Amino acid sequence: MSLSVQFLSLLIMIGTGIVTAAFIDMIGIGTTSTGKKSFVRKYSAVFEVFGWLIAGCWTFWVLYVIRDGAWRIYDPFAQLSGILLYISLFHKPIRLVGRIILVLLLKPIWFILHLIISAFLHIFSFIVKGILLLSTIIVRIFSSPFRKSFEKQAK
C-alpha cells in the first residue's frame, strides 16, 4: 500500500469520525427536543446505543470498500481525531445547516402533510355526519307508520 493511499484512507477515516460525531449529535438533539414523557426521551440511551452500532458498522463498511477490510492501528485514532475535529470546528456550522434544512425543507413538508391529513379527516368526518343525518331522517320517516302496525290493538 503506497503512502498516498494510506494518507487518503487516513483522511477518509477522519471523515468517518466527523460523520459519526454529527450522527450521534443528531440523535442527541432529536431525543432532547421531544417531550419529557415521550417514548423517544424515555429510551434515548437505547437509541444512542443503536446509533453507535450503526456508525460502527458503517465505518467498517467504509473500511471494506476503501481497503478491502484491512484495519490499521491508526484507524481508531483517526476516527477519534475526526470526532474531536467535529466538536471543535464543525459543530456549529453543521447544526446551522441542520436548522436551515429543518426550517426550509422539513417543516414545510410536515405542514403540507399535516394539511392534507387534516383536510382528508375533515372531509371524511363531513361524509360520515352526512350519512348519519340521512340515515336518521330515513329511520324517522319509515319508523312512524310501521310502528303503529306492530303495536297491540286496544280492545
Side-chain angles (χ1 to χ4, degrees):
M1 182 179 274
S2 68
L3 191 61
S4 62
V5 173
Q6 284 184 358
F7 181 69
L8 181 65
S9 67
L10 176 74
L11 290 179
I12 289 172
M13 289 308 292
I14 291 172
T16 60
I18 293 170
V19 172
T20 298
F23 180 65
I24 298 301
D25 189 35
M26 178 188 71
I27 291 173
I29 293 296
T31 56
T32 57
S33 65
T34 59
K36 292 189 186 261
K37 294 182 179 181
S38 73
F39 174 79
V40 175
R41 173 79 65 95
K42 189 175 184 181
Y43 295 105
S44 63
V46 174
F47 286 117
E48 193 158 343
V49 166
F50 279 122
W52 279 107
L53 286 173
I54 290 169
C57 290
W58 176 72
T59 299
F60 282 113
W61 179 77
V62 168
L63 274 174
Y64 184 74
V65 169
I66 299 301
R67 285 188 277 170
D68 295 328
W71 186 80
R72 304 278 185 238
I73 194 67
Y74 58 82
D75 289 338
F77 298 114
Q79 260 206 316
L80 183 64
S81 67
I83 290 170
L84 294 174
L85 192 63
Y86 171 78
I87 291 169
S88 64
L89 291 178
F90 297 120
H91 179 74
K92 289 183 181 180
I94 288 178
R95 280 201 176 175
L96 176 68
V97 168
R99 276 190 233 114
I100 289 171
I101 289 171
L102 180 70
V103 169
L104 293 179
L105 188 70
L106 295 178
K107 283 195 176 185
I109 290 172
W110 176 254
F111 175 73
I112 291 170
L113 285 175
H114 189 276
L115 189 68
I116 290 170
I117 289 170
S118 64
F120 175 74
L121 289 176
H122 284 297
I123 291 170
F124 183 72
S125 172
F126 179 72
I127 290 171
V128 167
K129 286 179 182 177
I131 290 171
L132 287 175
L133 179 67
L134 286 175
S135 66
T136 55
I137 291 173
I138 291 171
V139 165
R140 287 191 182 182
I141 288 174
F142 288 112
S143 68
S144 59
F146 293 119
R147 186 180 314 153
K148 292 180 183 175
S149 65
F150 290 111
E151 291 178 357
K152 283 188 172 180
Q153 299 289 333
K155 290 185 181 182

